[in-house]
Amino acid sequence: MDSKAKIVALCGVCSAISLLCLLLASFPALKWGVMVFAVVASIAVCLPMIASAKLAKFSILVYVASAIFGVVVGATNIIFVAPILFFFVPFCMVKEFGESVVLSKRTQKIVETPDPFDIGEPIKTITLDVVAKRRWPTWLRWVLYYVLLWLGIGISLGGCYLFTQPLLFAILENRWFWLVIVLLHVAVVPYNFFMDGVLLATKKLLKRTKFM
């Protein structure tokens, strides 16, 4: 994907989709669709990066714009908007960038063979050793996943303290609060597998539309 026009168009579409998802998530009446909004916003922000790991900076720009807009429009319902901005979207960014493949090449050896027709110089054969690996190791990605989880929890509760204190007190006084925290840690594992499928489907769709 080397066309600047395509990159600009893709970033514009990504920004519009992520901002729309954050706007919808800010409405309490749509709280049951927050998970859908979170996944869609995550994929929208990561689309440039999915198209090419070299476009990661454009995903970061889309994320920053989304974060600024999200904090402004979602202040009254920060308990749903903050997890999208500070867990779901960064999770997808870390996952996609960290799992992208890096190729390293080095010359293994050069072999010269005589010209079978004996009319020129010997034929040189260069053997290359190509190694493919993930950009970030698995352990680092998982550490970052759980760091983002605690960041999302902390900012969500902190946002409640700033904007909706009665909601914060109701959450902390709920007897199921710590059980929910534990379940959130467990849920990261199946969510990771779920995002594997979502990202794979997105990449196939991008290839069909010739963005990759």
XYZ file of all heavy atoms in Angstrom, residues 106-169:
533
model
N 20.540 -12.742 5.497
C 21.985 -12.649 5.508
C 22.545 -13.622 4.474
O 21.949 -14.668 4.188
C 22.543 -12.952 6.890
C 22.591 -14.415 7.267
C 23.357 -14.618 8.578
N 23.630 -16.011 8.840
C 22.806 -16.845 9.456
N 21.629 -16.410 9.837
N 23.140 -18.101 9.666
N 23.665 -13.263 3.904
C 24.303 -14.117 2.910
C 24.984 -15.283 3.595
O 25.840 -15.083 4.467
C 25.341 -13.322 2.094
O 24.700 -12.216 1.478
C 25.968 -14.198 1.029
N 24.589 -16.478 3.207
C 25.171 -17.656 3.837
C 26.494 -18.025 3.156
O 27.514 -18.187 3.808
C 24.199 -18.826 3.753
C 24.662 -20.043 4.561
C 23.614 -21.142 4.566
O 22.794 -21.207 3.656
N 23.627 -21.977 5.570
N 26.470 -18.140 1.826
C 27.710 -18.462 1.117
C 27.536 -18.212 -0.381
O 26.417 -18.138 -0.892
C 28.116 -19.917 1.346
C 27.094 -20.934 0.873
C 27.576 -22.350 1.148
C 26.537 -23.389 0.693
N 26.989 -24.759 0.923
N 28.674 -18.066 -1.024
C 28.699 -17.866 -2.468
C 29.435 -19.052 -3.092
O 30.583 -19.351 -2.740
C 29.409 -16.552 -2.846
C 28.685 -15.352 -2.209
C 29.468 -16.384 -4.352
C 29.359 -14.029 -2.455
N 28.767 -19.720 -3.999
C 29.337 -20.912 -4.651
C 29.584 -20.601 -6.123
O 28.697 -20.099 -6.820
C 28.393 -22.130 -4.513
C 28.996 -23.341 -5.203
C 28.131 -22.421 -3.042
N 30.793 -20.881 -6.581
C 31.132 -20.684 -7.991
C 31.177 -22.035 -8.695
O 31.806 -22.979 -8.214
C 32.484 -19.979 -8.137
C 32.491 -18.551 -7.627
C 33.788 -17.840 -7.957
O 34.682 -18.490 -8.548
O 33.928 -16.645 -7.631
N 30.510 -22.115 -9.834
C 30.530 -23.332 -10.650
C 31.029 -22.980 -12.044
O 30.714 -21.906 -12.570
C 29.122 -23.950 -10.751
O 28.203 -22.976 -11.258
C 28.633 -24.394 -9.387
N 31.821 -23.850 -12.627
C 32.373 -23.557 -13.965
C 31.263 -23.396 -15.006
O 30.201 -24.007 -14.903
C 33.233 -24.790 -14.266
C 33.497 -25.413 -12.933
C 32.296 -25.133 -12.101
N 31.510 -22.541 -15.983
C 30.576 -22.366 -17.088
C 30.531 -23.659 -17.891
O 31.564 -24.123 -18.397
C 31.037 -21.212 -17.981
C 30.038 -20.910 -19.088
O 29.058 -21.657 -19.217
O 30.245 -19.931 -19.821
N 29.336 -24.293 -17.998
C 29.260 -25.583 -18.718
C 29.684 -25.484 -20.181
O 30.106 -26.474 -20.770
C 27.780 -25.969 -18.589
C 27.070 -24.687 -18.325
C 28.023 -23.850 -17.530
N 29.596 -24.285 -20.745
C 29.983 -24.120 -22.148
C 31.397 -23.572 -22.303
O 31.902 -23.419 -23.419
C 28.991 -23.171 -22.853
C 27.573 -23.658 -22.806
C 26.677 -23.127 -21.895
C 27.156 -24.683 -23.653
C 25.373 -23.580 -21.848
C 25.856 -25.133 -23.610
C 24.962 -24.581 -22.708
N 32.029 -23.280 -21.141
C 33.417 -22.822 -21.115
C 33.637 -21.618 -22.028
O 34.644 -21.536 -22.757
C 34.365 -23.966 -21.493
C 35.798 -23.673 -21.058
O 35.952 -22.852 -20.111
O 36.739 -24.240 -21.640
N 32.676 -20.676 -21.984
C 32.815 -19.501 -22.840
C 32.759 -18.201 -22.034
O 32.798 -17.117 -22.604
C 31.704 -19.468 -23.922
C 30.326 -19.486 -23.258
C 31.853 -20.617 -24.895
C 29.186 -19.329 -24.255
N 32.673 -18.306 -20.768
C 32.578 -17.106 -19.937
C 33.115 -17.360 -18.550
O 33.814 -18.353 -18.294
N 32.790 -16.447 -17.634
C 33.239 -16.560 -16.259
C 32.433 -17.621 -15.515
O 31.320 -17.971 -15.929
C 33.092 -15.208 -15.558
C 33.967 -14.111 -16.161
C 33.802 -12.812 -15.418
O 32.912 -12.763 -14.535
O 34.546 -11.856 -15.720
N 32.969 -18.125 -14.409
C 32.225 -19.109 -13.607
C 30.900 -18.525 -13.116
O 30.775 -17.325 -12.903
C 33.168 -19.397 -12.444
C 34.524 -19.028 -12.950
C 34.330 -17.868 -13.884
N 29.902 -19.381 -12.974
C 28.580 -18.960 -12.506
C 28.592 -18.897 -10.985
O 28.976 -19.855 -10.316
C 27.494 -19.936 -12.990
C 27.480 -19.984 -14.533
C 26.123 -19.544 -12.452
C 26.548 -21.025 -15.085
N 28.164 -17.727 -10.447
C 28.134 -17.563 -9.003
C 26.720 -17.777 -8.482
O 25.776 -17.187 -8.997
C 28.615 -16.164 -8.621
C 30.085 -15.911 -8.946
C 30.496 -14.516 -8.487
C 31.966 -14.268 -8.782
N 32.388 -12.915 -8.330
N 26.593 -18.617 -7.471
C 25.301 -18.888 -6.835
C 25.353 -18.384 -5.398
O 26.222 -18.789 -4.625
C 24.973 -20.390 -6.844
O 24.993 -20.865 -8.196
C 23.599 -20.638 -6.232
N 24.417 -17.488 -5.049
C 24.372 -16.931 -3.703
C 23.232 -17.588 -2.929
O 22.076 -17.564 -3.365
C 24.158 -15.408 -3.745
C 25.293 -14.733 -4.526
C 24.083 -14.844 -2.333
C 25.110 -13.245 -4.690
N 23.541 -18.171 -1.824
C 22.539 -18.799 -0.968
C 22.210 -17.867 0.191
O 23.109 -17.424 0.915
C 23.064 -20.144 -0.415
O 23.423 -20.987 -1.510
C 21.987 -20.827 0.412
N 20.921 -17.554 0.344
C 20.477 -16.658 1.404
C 19.754 -17.439 2.498
O 18.973 -18.340 2.211
C 19.542 -15.586 0.845
C 20.138 -14.595 -0.159
C 19.052 -13.647 -0.634
C 21.294 -13.823 0.436
N 20.013 -17.051 3.721
C 19.318 -17.631 4.864
C 18.297 -16.596 5.345
O 18.663 -15.540 5.858
C 20.317 -17.967 5.971
C 19.656 -18.672 7.135
O 18.519 -19.142 6.955
O 20.272 -18.736 8.211
N 17.002 -16.876 5.133
C 15.938 -15.937 5.483
C 15.262 -16.409 6.766
O 14.797 -17.547 6.855
C 14.908 -15.822 4.347
C 13.813 -14.830 4.723
C 15.596 -15.385 3.053
N 15.197 -15.532 7.759
C 14.605 -15.856 9.052
C 13.391 -14.950 9.275
O 13.492 -13.730 9.139
C 15.617 -15.665 10.201
C 14.962 -15.990 11.534
C 16.843 -16.530 9.967
N 12.262 -15.552 9.586
C 11.038 -14.798 9.884
C 10.701 -14.968 11.360
O 10.706 -16.081 11.888
C 9.886 -15.292 9.017
N 10.397 -13.862 12.022
C 10.040 -13.928 13.447
C 9.061 -12.804 13.793
O 8.934 -11.824 13.062
C 11.285 -13.829 14.321
C 12.037 -12.533 14.165
C 13.245 -12.502 15.096
C 13.985 -11.167 14.972
N 15.154 -11.105 15.876
N 8.378 -12.970 14.901
C 7.469 -11.943 15.382
C 8.273 -10.729 15.844
O 9.373 -10.871 16.375
C 6.619 -12.466 16.540
C 5.776 -13.677 16.190
C 4.671 -13.329 15.220
N 3.783 -14.461 14.989
C 2.785 -14.467 14.120
N 2.559 -13.390 13.380
N 2.024 -15.536 13.966
N 7.692 -9.550 15.656
C 8.398 -8.323 16.029
C 8.680 -8.274 17.528
O 9.745 -7.851 17.951
C 7.571 -7.108 15.602
C 8.322 -5.783 15.657
C 7.445 -4.669 15.129
N 7.102 -4.875 13.748
C 7.821 -4.435 12.710
N 8.960 -3.797 12.935
N 7.413 -4.641 11.478
N 7.697 -8.693 18.342
C 7.874 -8.717 19.793
C 7.673 -10.136 20.298
O 6.801 -10.856 19.802
C 6.872 -7.797 20.483
C 7.116 -6.342 20.245
C 8.244 -5.767 19.752
C 6.203 -5.273 20.510
N 8.099 -4.408 19.679
C 6.864 -4.070 20.144
C 4.915 -5.209 21.024
C 6.255 -2.824 20.269
C 4.311 -3.962 21.156
C 4.976 -2.788 20.781
N 8.431 -10.571 21.299
C 8.242 -11.915 21.857
C 6.887 -12.054 22.554
O 6.290 -11.070 22.983
C 9.401 -12.056 22.850
C 9.775 -10.658 23.205
C 9.526 -9.841 21.968
N 6.429 -13.284 22.663
C 5.114 -13.555 23.247
C 4.999 -13.022 24.673
O 3.990 -12.411 25.047
C 4.832 -15.065 23.228
O 4.900 -15.532 21.880
C 3.453 -15.368 23.787
N 6.029 -13.248 25.493
C 5.947 -12.822 26.892
C 5.778 -11.311 27.011
O 5.032 -10.832 27.874
C 7.191 -13.274 27.665
C 8.469 -12.595 27.260
C 9.384 -13.025 26.345
C 8.953 -11.338 27.756
N 10.422 -12.130 26.224
C 10.181 -11.088 27.085
C 8.495 -10.416 28.683
C 10.946 -9.938 27.323
C 9.241 -9.263 28.916
C 10.453 -9.041 28.248
N 6.438 -10.558 26.129
C 6.325 -9.106 26.194
C 4.914 -8.652 25.832
O 4.350 -7.756 26.483
C 7.346 -8.468 25.246
C 7.290 -6.939 25.141
C 7.514 -6.302 26.509
C 8.318 -6.437 24.138
N 4.321 -9.283 24.815
C 2.964 -8.910 24.415
C 1.978 -9.155 25.561
O 1.111 -8.322 25.833
C 2.543 -9.687 23.168
C 3.388 -9.386 21.936
C 2.687 -9.814 20.657
N 2.320 -11.211 20.642
C 3.123 -12.190 20.236
N 4.348 -11.919 19.799
N 2.709 -13.446 20.239
N 2.119 -10.291 26.232
C 1.184 -10.603 27.317
C 1.380 -9.691 28.522
O 0.415 -9.326 29.205
C 1.307 -12.078 27.716
C 0.545 -12.953 26.782
C 1.030 -13.663 25.729
C -0.868 -13.165 26.791
N 0.005 -14.322 25.080
C -1.166 -14.033 25.705
C -1.913 -12.722 27.594
C -2.466 -14.458 25.425
C -3.212 -13.131 27.315
C -3.467 -13.999 26.243
N 2.610 -9.313 28.812
C 2.838 -8.338 29.883
C 2.145 -7.026 29.545
O 1.467 -6.420 30.392
C 4.353 -8.108 30.086
C 4.599 -6.885 30.977
C 5.005 -9.331 30.712
N 2.269 -6.593 28.295
C 1.632 -5.346 27.873
C 0.113 -5.451 27.900
O -0.575 -4.475 28.241
C 2.107 -4.973 26.466
C 3.577 -4.551 26.357
C 3.956 -4.304 24.897
C 3.844 -3.307 27.193
N -0.425 -6.636 27.558
C -1.886 -6.808 27.612
C -2.418 -6.531 29.014
O -3.427 -5.827 29.191
C -2.277 -8.232 27.204
C -2.005 -8.579 25.758
C -1.915 -9.912 25.344
C -1.833 -7.591 24.791
C -1.676 -10.236 24.028
C -1.592 -7.918 23.467
C -1.505 -9.249 23.093
O -1.261 -9.581 21.784
N -1.731 -7.095 30.013
C -2.222 -6.931 31.385
C -1.894 -5.554 31.950
O -2.634 -5.045 32.802
C -1.673 -8.042 32.275
C -2.430 -9.326 32.079
C -1.918 -10.356 31.297
C -3.687 -9.507 32.657
C -2.635 -11.526 31.089
C -4.402 -10.672 32.458
C -3.871 -11.678 31.667
O -4.591 -12.831 31.466
N -0.819 -4.946 31.479
C -0.557 -3.552 31.853
C -1.681 -2.662 31.326
O -2.182 -1.773 32.031
C 0.801 -3.088 31.293
C 0.951 -1.565 31.430
C 1.945 -3.784 32.019
N -2.100 -2.907 30.087
C -3.195 -2.140 29.497
C -4.513 -2.397 30.223
O -5.338 -1.483 30.369
C -3.342 -2.492 28.012
C -2.219 -1.995 27.101
C -2.388 -2.564 25.694
C -2.196 -0.475 27.050
N -4.703 -3.635 30.685
C -5.924 -3.940 31.428
C -6.003 -3.102 32.702
O -7.035 -2.484 32.999
C -5.970 -5.435 31.773
C -7.159 -5.865 32.644
C -8.476 -5.629 31.907
C -7.023 -7.337 33.045
N -4.908 -3.058 33.443
C -4.902 -2.268 34.678
C -4.970 -0.774 34.371
O -5.570 -0.006 35.142
C -3.664 -2.603 35.514
C -3.897 -3.798 36.369
C -3.450 -5.070 36.162
C -4.684 -3.838 37.560
N -3.908 -5.905 37.148
C -4.661 -5.174 38.030
C -5.399 -2.889 38.278
C -5.336 -5.573 39.175
C -6.074 -3.273 39.428
C -6.027 -4.602 39.869
N -4.372 -0.368 33.270
C -4.477 1.039 32.868
C -5.933 1.387 32.569
O -6.435 2.442 32.993
C -3.611 1.287 31.632
C -3.597 2.725 31.094
C -2.941 3.648 32.107
C -2.860 2.784 29.757
N -6.606 0.495 31.836
C -8.011 0.729 31.516
C -8.883 0.776 32.767
O -9.755 1.640 32.895
N -8.636 -0.163 33.702
C -9.409 -0.175 34.953
C -9.152 1.092 35.758
O -10.079 1.747 36.253
C -9.060 -1.423 35.781
C -9.523 -2.694 35.065
C -9.696 -1.333 37.170
C -9.051 -3.980 35.719
N -7.877 1.454 35.884
C -7.522 2.620 36.686
C -8.078 3.915 36.120
O -8.632 4.741 36.862
N -7.942 4.104 34.811
C -8.437 5.338 34.198
C -9.961 5.378 34.220
O -10.562 6.446 34.408
C -7.904 5.471 32.757
C -6.389 5.682 32.796
C -8.587 6.630 32.025
C -5.747 5.819 31.442
N -10.602 4.226 34.061
C -12.070 4.195 34.112
C -12.573 4.615 35.489
O -13.482 5.439 35.610
C -12.581 2.788 33.778
O -12.210 2.415 32.460
N -11.968 4.061 36.543
C -12.380 4.425 37.902
C -12.005 5.868 38.220
O -12.760 6.593 38.881
C -11.743 3.473 38.910
C -12.176 2.000 38.807
C -11.442 1.153 39.829
C -13.689 1.863 38.979
N -10.821 6.289 37.741
C -10.417 7.672 37.956
C -11.335 8.649 37.238
O -11.666 9.714 37.773
N -11.760 8.278 36.028
C -12.695 9.121 35.298
C -14.035 9.222 36.004
O -14.663 10.282 36.020
N -14.461 8.102 36.586
C -15.707 8.119 37.362
C -15.581 9.046 38.557
O -16.528 9.759 38.908
C -16.058 6.713 37.833
S -16.720 5.654 36.541
N -14.412 9.042 39.184
C -14.204 9.918 40.335
C -14.296 11.390 39.936
O -14.830 12.228 40.672
C -12.844 9.632 40.968
C -12.516 10.538 42.135
C -13.069 10.302 43.388
C -11.657 11.629 41.961
C -12.783 11.135 44.458
C -11.371 12.465 43.025
C -11.931 12.220 44.273
O -11.656 13.043 45.326
N -13.789 11.716 38.754
C -13.789 13.105 38.300
C -15.151 13.565 37.798
O -15.537 14.714 38.014
C -12.745 13.285 37.188
C -11.274 13.159 37.603
C -10.378 13.256 36.371
C -10.900 14.233 38.610
N -15.856 12.670 37.096
C -17.060 13.102 36.394
C -18.361 12.548 36.981
O -19.394 13.197 36.893
C -16.972 12.713 34.909
C -15.786 13.298 34.203
C -14.732 12.490 33.802
C -15.723 14.653 33.934
C -13.630 13.031 33.144
C -14.636 15.204 33.274
C -13.581 14.385 32.883
N -18.317 11.350 37.527
C -19.556 10.730 38.040
C -19.260 10.008 39.355
O -19.250 8.777 39.411
C -20.148 9.745 37.017
O -19.143 8.769 36.683
C -20.590 10.456 35.756
N -19.001 10.746 40.411
C -18.631 10.144 41.685
C -19.682 9.189 42.250
O -19.316 8.139 42.801
C -18.303 11.238 42.700
C -16.994 11.944 42.422
C -16.549 12.829 43.566
O -17.076 12.742 44.679
N -15.573 13.693 43.306
N -20.973 9.502 42.154
C -21.966 8.540 42.671
C -21.843 7.167 42.021
O -22.012 6.142 42.689
C -23.304 9.209 42.326
C -22.992 10.664 42.272
C -21.620 10.754 41.696
N -21.545 7.139 40.724
C -21.364 5.859 40.036
C -20.145 5.126 40.576
O -20.181 3.906 40.766
C -21.231 6.087 38.533
C -20.962 4.835 37.684
C -22.102 3.829 37.833
C -20.775 5.208 36.219
N -19.075 5.844 40.833
C -17.859 5.227 41.381
C -18.146 4.584 42.729
O -17.753 3.442 42.982
C -16.753 6.272 41.520
C -15.478 5.786 42.222
C -14.819 4.683 41.412
C -14.517 6.937 42.457
N -18.839 5.303 43.619
C -19.138 4.758 44.947
C -20.037 3.522 44.841
O -19.878 2.550 45.587
C -19.810 5.821 45.800
C -18.928 7.010 46.071
C -19.461 8.292 46.156
C -17.561 6.842 46.235
C -18.641 9.387 46.412
C -16.738 7.925 46.483
C -17.278 9.202 46.569
